[in-house]
Amino acid sequence: MINSKAVQMDAEIISNKRIGTYNHMVFSVDEMANGCRPGNFVAIAVGGPASSMVLRRAFAIYRASMRADGTGLLELVVAPLGNGSKWLASQVAGQKVNLIAPLGTAFGIPTQPVNALLVGGGYGSAPLFALAETLKSRGCRVDMVLGASTAGKIYAPLEGKRSVNSLTITTDDGSAGTTGRVSDVLPALIQEHEIDLIYSCGPMAMLEAITAITQQVGIVHQCSVEEAMACGIGVCMTCVLPVEGDDGVIRMTRTCVDGPVMNGNKVLWSKSRDIPDGVWGK
Amino acid sequence: MINSKAVQMDAEIISNKRIGTYNHMVFSVDEMANGCRPGNFVAIAVGGPASSMVLRRAFAIYRASMRADGTGLLELVVAPLGNGSKWLASQVAGQKVNLIAPLGTAFGIPTQPVNALLVGGGYGSAPLFALAETLKSRGCRVDMVLGASTAGKIYAPLEGKRSVNSLTITTDDGSAGTTGRVSDVLPALIQEHEIDLIYSCGPMAMLEAITAITQQVGIVHQCSVEEAMACGIGVCMTCVLPVEGDDGVIRMTRTCVDGPVMNGNKVLWSKSRDIPDGVWGK
Amino acid sequence: MNFNFGTDIAGTTFPNPIFTASGCAGSGKELVHFFSLSDLGAIVTKSIMLKPRSGRATPRMAETPSGMLNSIGLQGPGIDLFLENDIPWLRDQGARIIVSIAGETVEDYAVLARKLRTVSGLSAIEVNISCPNVENRGQVFACNPETARDAIAAVRRNIGGELPIIAKLSPDVTDITAIAQSVVEAGADSLALINTLLGMVIDTNTLSPKLSQRTGGLSGPAIRPIAVRAIYQVRAALPTIPIVGMGGVANGRDAFELVLAGANAISVGTATFGNPMAAITIKNELEELCIARGFNSFVEAVSYAHRTESK
Amino acid sequence: MNFNFGTDIAGTTFPNPIFTASGCAGSGKELVHFFSLSDLGAIVTKSIMLKPRSGRATPRMAETPSGMLNSIGLQGPGIDLFLENDIPWLRDQGARIIVSIAGETVEDYAVLARKLRTVSGLSAIEVNISCPNVENRGQVFACNPETARDAIAAVRRNIGGELPIIAKLSPDVTDITAIAQSVVEAGADSLALINTLLGMVIDTNTLSPKLSQRTGGLSGPAIRPIAVRAIYQVRAALPTIPIVGMGGVANGRDAFELVLAGANAISVGTATFGNPMAAITIKNELEELCIARGFNSFVEAVSYAHRTESK
Ligand SMILES: Cc1cc2nc3c(=O)[nH]c(=O)nc-3n(C[C@H](O)[C@H](O)[C@H](O)COP(=O)(O)OP(=O)(O)OC[C@H]3O[C@@H](n4cnc5c(N)ncnc54)[C@H](O)[C@@H]3O)c2cc1C
Ligand SMILES: Cc1cc2nc3c(=O)[nH]c(=O)nc-3n(C[C@H](O)[C@H](O)[C@H](O)COP(=O)(O)OP(=O)(O)OC[C@H]3O[C@@H](n4cnc5c(N)ncnc54)[C@H](O)[C@@H]3O)c2cc1C
Ligand SMILES: Cc1cc2nc3c(=O)[nH]c(=O)nc-3n(C[C@H](O)[C@H](O)[C@H](O)COP(=O)(O)O)c2cc1C
Ligand SMILES: Cc1cc2nc3c(=O)[nH]c(=O)nc-3n(C[C@H](O)[C@H](O)[C@H](O)COP(=O)(O)O)c2cc1C
Ligand code: FES
Ligand code: FES
């Protein structure tokens, strides 16, 4: 079901700063910020009143906070790639955008202190910093791995780094940190820090590679998936992935309401993007 | 044929001020301003990079001038009515729009000093002030009639009024000047000022009503027509009106290249918007 | 105010003419978070089939200029679970319910109709015949007057007397009035116009079709001129048939356009994806527009753009 | 650079695959103000008929979301004046010329073909069969395999051996591959896909259809997914027929999409209205994209999205 806290509103842009290849954008929202949890996302209408873009764009919530005056702040990390994200990144402070938030599931927080490894790819690091803070405040040990194709695509602001015990960086081209992919460094980190739990967010191929590791080692893997979404609120059925339910049945499951945070070990990742055999209703 | 001076360029908005129900907008252009004559129009792309509006919008040039530093200014009067004009009117100084100008025909300037009556409806007054200045500088007597449905829709800036010998205003609702339509006051003014020539710009129904008078009285009528235009440069054939040519043949004639300024007495105004009998190729 | 916003589809009265479009509101469960389902004229449910359906592989959608493609492939729980879970819930919401059904064979339509026959609290049944007919080389039922007629006739024979049948047609045909005529002869009480147009997007990075199924259905404002034309043509051919119009309605003005063309009710589809409140906003704007244009009732506005021809 | 941008349509070679679309560039007289006509692969002239035509009454156009409707009604000077004035002028420009013809009867097409037979300096003839057939209740030639075939056969019989015939098809049909097959059998050397879709806009102020003719042809980016689908389907059905693709191409990426679907050349229509330089920009962007994606020649990219199927 849809996130019960979801609210639709026109939110003013408070600031929009270029950081590396990303835009860090801050929006003024009301108490809605209170309802946001790490992992939730926001759906934003793009292109203005005469837009040719009919669908909202989803963005992971980077940070949500309440100010003393009772107004809330919502922060996003936007990669200006296509028409919609470029439009959003070109909006300036003072302009308003229509958004719906919080949407989707949040990262589950363990009731006991555990050793958590947070893995982010590209702008997938965005929701991990708020998560790291929460985990820290619950007494967890938090290690982080961030990967990207190249250094400019690593999003790791200073204040974010403060809440982690260690930060490992990988880049495909070796322009920062270890040359290679996050999945290359995972096994060693899991062992070294005696990881109980992996949280991840990034491209689907990365999540699939992590799952291969977590399934093998047998540790919990909460991942935030990114499947193309038309509605973001559960009514269109475009955003599905094959996921095994608690009843053992594999269903094409909506990632906008039953995700984006899902149990990675239960997702039937399939590169070929088929309907795997055994899916209910195939 | 297309106006030989036509240039396509990105022009920066220098100012955008609300005046009555209109927006007076000034654009920075280069020497292009030099080529603009009263009656010419500009075609502007609207809606930004992800616009759902595929067609340019036409606007009569209100004023075009060169500055000492060699840059040119282009001024328009925009009525924010539909999606495109609202978008344009909402753009602020510093932003750029893509425009093509000058386009179309200009008002013909008599070689001898004559008594000219300029008739404008709504924003149709826009091109008449520059025309009035030109006529004045040629020694003409210039009287002006402006009409609109209501006072707020009369566009008559102070500096514009300076170049006319008299200004008569009509409004349908009587909120300013004489109650009624411009065509109601025309016959008396024609007589009073011994008018040789009428210039007009405004809604098609007004131009038709004026033509009924000029044809009867037998005076020249140069009118700037406003027919929906898809391309503005003569390639699409959407903007036609039935016009009698010098050879006596009535043709469906493109108002974007053979207009917008046309000999009103040669236009076969037809309210029903039929192809009148006798049109070539009917 | 005295304005009468009600509309009538084959004997069933709806308090207002704004419906959801099939497949664009699920079963309404998420939309109640934004408004009360009883505020709309009706909820048209996602087309339901006999058995549970996984639908197609992803990617299932691609945005296009002023529109989108989808190839969901009718994912759903199948009629039995649907009747068990969704219908009672919708009844509890006070919603007027139009059930959309879809089949792969004529017999599927017959069985679905029999299953719905005894269900109480339904306002109408919409028959989505824009589905591949597995018994006829996968040709879409709605693309051929005979197969369209067969599917509707099967529903007619099995549904019993009461429930109005709305036949939903595809615009991907040479002559939509011929299909309309055919399904009305077969017993359709009303027509839903239009379903999506077959389209395709190719990803210029992967150099392959973007959707897993290659083609998908085009919806959204891009197709509105096609919807208006189809409704206008069918209204001219069948002056009295109730029409549920849809296709690219994003605001009250758009809805009004389809109404003037001949629609007795309007389904809102893709617009809901851009704005969950779209249907409610459209409803309010449409009412205001009808009043502003001097109509005393919604019914007066229906087909009004045809008046010059009847003069 | 070694990239070969040339393309071949039924034996005629063009230095690049970007053409104007019929009716969207007049005879090129205005566009020379913006660029040299010889820079494009070819100029496709506005469809010319036997006699002078006034076209339809205005309004002839309405903007729609990401598109527009037009009902120009083939205004033009008739073939004789056209051959006298426009062709010599186009030849002087160094343009490669594709003449588009349109008729109201099969005999019209035959006569037009005979008139063109002896004209020198033409690269091809495009046969616009999306016209009402006055001998068949005004049904559009292109909407019926038989009448489409008759029109093309009449041109084939009369045109002589050399000049390639490009048959331009309408997307407003149930099965465009059937029409394609039919005109190819009748002697078409190439296909142009797609003409506009029949649409309508109703003015919610006047409460009447906006165009004087009520309906008009929908063009622009809104229809691009339909064009891609039609080209892809026809390419799959007729693997070797040269296709001139068009429909909503507004930039190089769009053109590339149609090329991957199967187009051997691209006509640019509505985009020119928004930007007189559109065709040139598209040409440059398309060349860059082909190179960026690793193609050594334009021809390699044609139909590339079909490769997975042939594997
Ligand atoms: C749950 C979720 C969280 C996300 N978080 C972020 C974030 O924090 N920062 C950020 O920059 N982006 C994020 N994205 C991606 C973002 O929603 C857009 O998809 C992306 O910005 C590209 O859209 P566009 O309009 O620029 O591209 P366009 O090419 O115009 O997009 C066309 C359509 O394809 C979809 N699409 C394109 N690329 C993707 C993609 N990679 N994933 C899913 N859909 C796609 C778009 O949503 C749109 O519907 C997230 C997506 C999801 C589903
Ligand atoms: C030669 C000429 C000069 C013009 N000068 C001015 C001017 O000085 N100031 C000004 O405010 N407007 C002027 N207009 C009208 C202007 O071009 C737009 O049509 C008007 O602003 C409405 O467009 P829109 O995008 O707001 O409305 P929309 O409803 O979005 O327009 C949809 C389409 O219809 C066309 N259209 C709508 N109304 C008209 C109209 N009245 N005349 C012609 N086409 C129309 C639009 O151009 C557009 O293609 C002029 C038009 C022409 C042809
Ligand atoms: C994601 C999606 C799913 C759809 N599913 C169905 C369906 O299950 N049954 C059906 O009859 N139509 C379905 N449609 C078509 C819509 O009901 C509607 O006819 C079409 O989208 C045009 O309306 P719109 O432009 O307002 O969306 C679907 C459309 C979309 C976009
Ligand atoms: C104003 C206008 C006039 C057109 N005239 C013709 C024509 O005379 N002959 C023809 O075959 N197609 C004509 N077309 C169709 C175009 O050639 C083209 O097939 C269609 O517009 C789709 O391409 P586009 O989306 O790039 O415009 C016309 C289109 C427009 C918009
Ligand atoms: S995005 Fe529509 S159901 Fe998930
Ligand atoms: S607007 Fe295209 S020819 Fe005049």
Side-chain angles (χ1 to χ4, degrees), chain B residues 64-268:
Chain B
S65 54
M66 291 300 294
R67 289 194 289 197
D69 62 1
T71 59
L73 292 183
L74 197 72
E75 299 176 50
L76 307 177
V77 178
V78 176
L81 295 173
N83 278 337
S85 52
K86 277 184 191 156
W87 178 87
L88 183 61
S90 74
Q91 300 306 103
V92 298
Q95 290 181 295
K96 287 188 172 184
V97 296
N98 188 271
L99 52 81
I100 305 174
L103 289 171
T105 54
F107 289 109
I109 307 297
T111 45
Q112 306 290 325
V114 296
N115 294 339
L117 181 60
L118 279 49
V119 190
Y123 56 74
S125 63
L128 299 182
F129 297 107
L131 172 64
E133 276 175 39
T134 307
L135 292 171
K136 268 291 183 185
S137 71
R138 302 287 176 92
C140 296
R141 179 188 162 89
V142 180
D143 296 287
M144 189 180 270
V145 189
L146 299 183
S149 56
T150 186
K153 293 193 173 161
I154 299 283
Y155 188 80
L158 257 189
E159 69 273 24
K161 291 185 210 162
R162 276 200 298 262
S163 43
V164 300
N165 294 63
S166 82
L167 173 61
T168 309
I169 284 183
T170 70
T171 52
D172 297 354
D173 67 357
S175 53
T178 312
T179 306
R181 316 217 144 190
V182 291
S183 45
D184 300 334
V185 301
L186 275 200
L189 287 170
I190 292 172
Q191 259 198 310
E192 183 184 342
H193 302 304
E194 297 176 4
I195 296 301
D196 302 302
L197 179 57
I198 287 189
Y199 294 97
S200 66
C201 182
M204 303 290 260
M206 183 190 103
L207 305 183
E208 185 174 1
I210 298 173
T211 302
I213 296 169
T214 55
Q215 281 179 333
Q216 202 188 359
V217 191
I219 59 177
V220 177
H221 175 206
Q222 290 194 32
C223 62
S224 173
V225 305
E226 186 182 306
E227 185 59 61
M229 295 178 177
C231 76
I233 57 164
V235 297
C236 76
M237 309 301 285
T238 60
C239 63
V240 298
L241 276 178
V243 179
E244 189 184 321
D246 296 334
D247 54 3
V249 178
I250 305 161
R251 293 182 183 81
M252 297 305 285
T253 306
R254 291 168 300 175
T255 62
C256 67
V257 288
D258 299 318
V261 178
M262 302 182 124
N263 180 343
N265 296 344
K266 296 285 187 178
V267 176
L268 280 81

Side-chain angles (χ1 to χ4, degrees), chain A residues 228-240 254-257, chain C residues 273:
Chain A
M229 294 178 178
C231 76
I233 58 165
V235 297
C236 76
M237 309 300 285
T238 60
C239 62
V240 297
R254 293 167 300 177
T255 62
C256 68
V257 288
Chain C
F273 304 163

Side-chain angles (χ1 to χ4, degrees), chain C residues 136-151:
Chain C
N136 184 15
R137 293 163 295 118
Q139 210 213 13
V140 171
F141 284 98
C143 286
N144 177 308
E146 279 84 51
T147 52
R149 181 196 300 140
D150 292 347

